[in-house]
Amino acid sequence: MAIRLYNTMGRKYEDFQSIEPMHVGMYTCGPTVYNYAHVGNLRTYVFEDVLKRMLEHFGYSVKHVMNITDVGHLTGDGDDGEDKLGKMARETGRSAWDIAAFYTEAFFKDYDSLNIIRPDVVCPATKHIPEMIALIQRLEKGGHTYVSGGNVYFSIDTFPDYGKLAGLDLEKLQSGARIDVDSNKRNPKDFVLWFTNSKFGKQEMMWDSPWGVGYPGWHIECSAMSMKYLGEQFDIHCGGIDAIPVHHTNEIAQSEAATGKVPWVRYWLHGEFLLSDKGGKMSKSSGEFLTMPLLVSKGYDPLDYRLFCLGAHYRSQLQFTYQALDSAKASRRTLLEKTAQIRSQCKAVPAAASDSSLCRQLADFDDDISNDMNMPKALADMWSLVKDDSLSPEVKYAGLLYMDKVLGLELDKAVSADDDIEIPPEALILLEKRTAAKKARDWAAADQARSELDKLGFAVKDTLQGARLIKKM
Ligand code: AMP
Ligand code: ZN
């Protein structure tokens, strides 16, 4: 099946072709862990999850790498402001390391609750400082850097293609540039690779380097870590659209200048913003700070939010309102009830569908999801399958699971009152074991219990009321 993706580089649809046959290297910019993620951030991770699931659905093996930005991301994208973690540390009297650990854990709770498949590699910036230093040295050797006022800068004039992702007109930018706050820069668009000189006093997270004790710039982190795990050229790089003009533009400049290999990344995919109910971009600083725990405390399941996100194309803006979330919640409840009913009507255990020849809706689904991930249309295909009375429950159920592998709504865990499930005592004991292991943060033991339950034919669903066992078909 041909997969069509909208490539921000060139602003056009392209048929997807991986560098290595049936294998995809995919890098997604991860969270800056100075605070909880807001639901806007999470929208971007949901879109990236659907992309990865879609590629796997069509037979690709995907190596997914995501960074954790735990140092170097300043409050302003143009090297102005203070390190976000440093600022939080100063304001709360906690250590930056504690803040990073706390919000990384909180982030993955949100991530798991949204049924987002974890990346194969999660790489915190603070654990990859030598790789960043090596990349800066490579740029230095190639004549792409200069030191000024104690910081190492990337000189964009040494990279003629600068700005190609965002379509920046450099001449216009030069002549119309505002008086730049950083007088150390030769060109206002130059950016910092390594800071030794922060106007905010002593930074807690610092490392020795050939240029003095300091810390990396945000952009070099993603270039160094993506290339470490995916090679000097790879298939897909994603993020939210706010990353296009500065962060991703600078990542491309550094990476291509360092290796000389063009293109560094074949496909650039960007998710549009979630807007607040007042209409502006959802952010941590304006309006209600909407987090997943807040939505849960108001009675929503994280998957209600996932369904809400699936209702819009990832490249369209989406406005958050409680009314819209309520309708996603009602719709998910109906979907789960219908799925459970269909499942209980199955006479035979339905085989999982492995191709789209089963019925028209599955072929439509494949067309729609492969077409730049048209999630609203894919959802409509799912509803059409649910409502089609000409299909047997076996076909319907297998079809629902087929689609849900991509949409990730956990339909396999739908239960209805008609389900008469007998749970053997050994399964209950394993469930107890898993709960105790999770409490003790013994993840290996918790995983072990889960996989033994799996062998007994039970899946575990974590609900707000605690863990529940679901009999797998
Ligand atoms: P951050 O933790 O600030 O580095 O952001 C994490 C991700 O969320 C990035 O990919 C951003 O582009 C994305 N993002 C930030 N604000 C929004 C928003 N309002 N809607 C959707 N994505 C966003
Ligand atoms: Zn990044």
Side-chain angles (χ1 to χ4, degrees):
M1 162 80 54
I3 295 174
R4 225 162 68 106
L5 296 176
Y6 185 83
N7 194 348
T8 307
M9 185 68 83
R11 301 284 195 283
K12 57 179 189 306
Y13 291 99
E14 287 179 39
D15 281 342
F16 177 71
Q17 252 188 326
S18 52
I19 298 172
E20 252 183 70
M22 298 319 287
H23 176 81
V24 179
M26 168 169 157
Y27 185 86
T28 57
C29 286
T32 308
V33 284
Y34 69 105
N35 204 335
Y36 291 103
H38 60 63
V39 293
N41 301 132
L42 296 171
R43 179 185 184 201
T44 295
Y45 300 109
V46 168
F47 126 66
E48 293 162 347
D49 184 54
V50 175
L51 168 62
K52 174 166 133 187
R53 287 168 177 267
M54 182 270 286
L55 291 164
E56 287 177 344
H57 174 73
F58 291 117
Y60 288 89
S61 74
V62 179
K63 180 170 180 186
H64 177 199
V65 178
M66 182 176 76
N67 66 301
I68 300 288
T69 301
D70 46 6
V71 68
H73 192 172
L74 305 192
T75 48
D77 273 359
D79 297 330
D80 48 323
E82 190 175 356
D83 183 288
K84 289 188 180 190
L85 274 103
K87 180 166 183 272
M88 193 60 149
R90 189 171 52 71
E91 286 171 0
T92 58
R94 291 155 71 194
S95 103
W97 296 98
D98 283 353
I99 288 170
F102 179 85
Y103 289 111
T104 302
E105 191 175 332
F107 173 78
F108 278 113
K109 268 193 196 146
D110 293 348
Y111 207 80
D112 293 344
S113 74
L114 283 162
N115 196 26
I116 299 174
I117 300 171
R118 286 214 190 189
D120 302 284
V121 178
V122 174
C123 39
T126 49
K127 296 221 163 69
H128 295 78
I129 303 297
E131 287 85 349
M132 294 168 205
I133 291 177
L135 189 57
I136 300 171
Q137 283 178 314
R138 219 166 148 187
L139 288 167
E140 194 173 40
K141 259 202 197 128
H144 297 286
T145 67
Y146 60 93
V147 176
S148 181
N151 297 330
V152 183
Y153 290 87
F154 181 90
S155 165
I156 67 155
D157 296 316
T158 67
F159 183 70
D161 267 356
Y162 186 84
K164 61 183 170 181
L165 181 71
L168 300 179
D169 181 338
L170 289 186
E171 274 178 23
K172 249 197 209 148
L173 276 173
Q174 285 280 30
S175 55
R178 65 195 162 97
I179 314 278
D180 191 62
V181 283
D182 188 345
S183 56
N184 296 320
K185 291 185 183 182
R186 292 181 188 162
N187 182 317
K189 286 278 163 187
D190 289 349
F191 54 92
V192 177
L193 300 167
W194 188 264
F195 290 95
T196 66
N197 189 11
S198 162
K199 48 183 177 282
F200 290 95
K202 222 160 164 45
Q203 167 98 1
E204 191 185 339
M205 293 169 154
M206 300 245 259
W207 295 264
D208 203 4
S209 85
W211 312 279
V213 176
Y215 61 98
W218 173 36
H219 318 302
I220 199 75
E221 300 179 357
C222 286
S223 291
M225 293 190 283
S226 58
M227 289 200 274
K228 169 170 178 164
Y229 295 107
L230 295 172
E232 291 188 349
Q233 291 181 292
F234 56 92
D235 300 293
I236 299 181
H237 193 132
C238 305
I241 52 158
D242 52 341
I244 299 171
V246 180
H247 183 49
H248 288 169
T249 288
N250 292 351
E251 281 187 42
I252 292 169
Q254 302 160 146
S255 307
E256 294 187 355
T259 67
K261 294 179 184 165
V262 179
W264 172 45
V265 169
R266 286 207 177 180
Y267 303 90
W268 287 87
L269 272 73
H270 291 97
E272 250 292 356
F273 284 144
L274 181 76
L275 306 181
S276 74
D277 55 356
K278 307 270 180 310
K281 169 186 181 262
M282 167 108 17
S283 74
K284 288 170 190 159
S285 49
S286 66
E288 190 181 19
F289 181 14
L290 275 178
T291 62
M292 201 41 66
L294 179 75
L295 293 186
V296 169
S297 75
K298 289 178 188 269
Y300 298 99
D301 188 297
L303 295 182
D304 296 335
Y305 181 69
R306 185 174 174 109
L307 183 60
F308 166 75
C309 291
L310 297 179
H313 196 284
Y314 76 92
R315 288 192 298 105
S316 307
Q317 292 188 335
L318 172 62
Q319 183 165 18
F320 179 88
T321 61
Y322 281 106
Q323 210 181 5
L325 190 61
D326 283 338
S327 105
K329 180 178 175 173
S331 171
R332 196 177 73 89
R333 182 166 299 165
T334 311
L335 186 60
L336 289 179
E337 277 165 8
K338 297 264 181 223
T339 305
Q341 263 169 25
I342 292 167
R343 193 175 76 158
S344 61
Q345 288 159 5
C346 291
K347 295 202 179 65
V349 175
S354 59
D355 69 70
S356 57
S357 61
L358 211 55
C359 59
R360 171 187 58 81
Q361 287 88 346
L362 295 198
D364 290 348
F365 177 87
D366 278 0
D367 279 347
D368 292 327
I369 206 72
S370 63
N371 185 9
D372 197 32
M373 289 174 290
N374 194 328
M375 303 181 313
K377 273 189 143 183
L379 269 182
D381 297 327
M382 187 178 245
W383 281 112
S384 151
L385 179 76
V386 168
K387 290 178 183 159
D388 189 338
D389 291 333
S390 71
L391 298 172
S392 72
E394 286 78 10
V395 165
K396 279 192 186 188
Y397 188 67
L400 281 168
L401 296 193
Y402 178 89
M403 295 177 178
D404 199 42
K405 273 214 141 123
V406 182
L407 300 178
L409 294 167
E410 295 194 335
L411 296 187
D412 56 331
K413 296 180 183 171
V415 273
S416 80
D418 313 344
D419 280 354
D420 183 15
I421 304 168
E422 266 187 40
I423 300 177
E426 60 267 35
L428 288 173
I429 291 167
L430 282 167
L431 184 66
E432 281 292 305
K433 269 192 187 163
R434 177 178 172 272
T435 308
K438 275 187 80 177
K439 228 182 194 167
R441 303 160 71 85
D442 183 348
W443 310 118
D447 282 351
Q448 173 69 24
R450 188 192 270 266
S451 88
E452 283 176 37
L453 277 165
D454 194 65
K455 278 184 212 139
L456 289 180
F458 289 93
V460 185
K461 173 156 175 65
D462 290 309
T463 70
L464 291 175
Q465 290 77 35
R468 276 176 51 195
L469 288 177
I470 313 289
K471 181 93 185 122
K472 295 196 301 187
M473 301 266 330

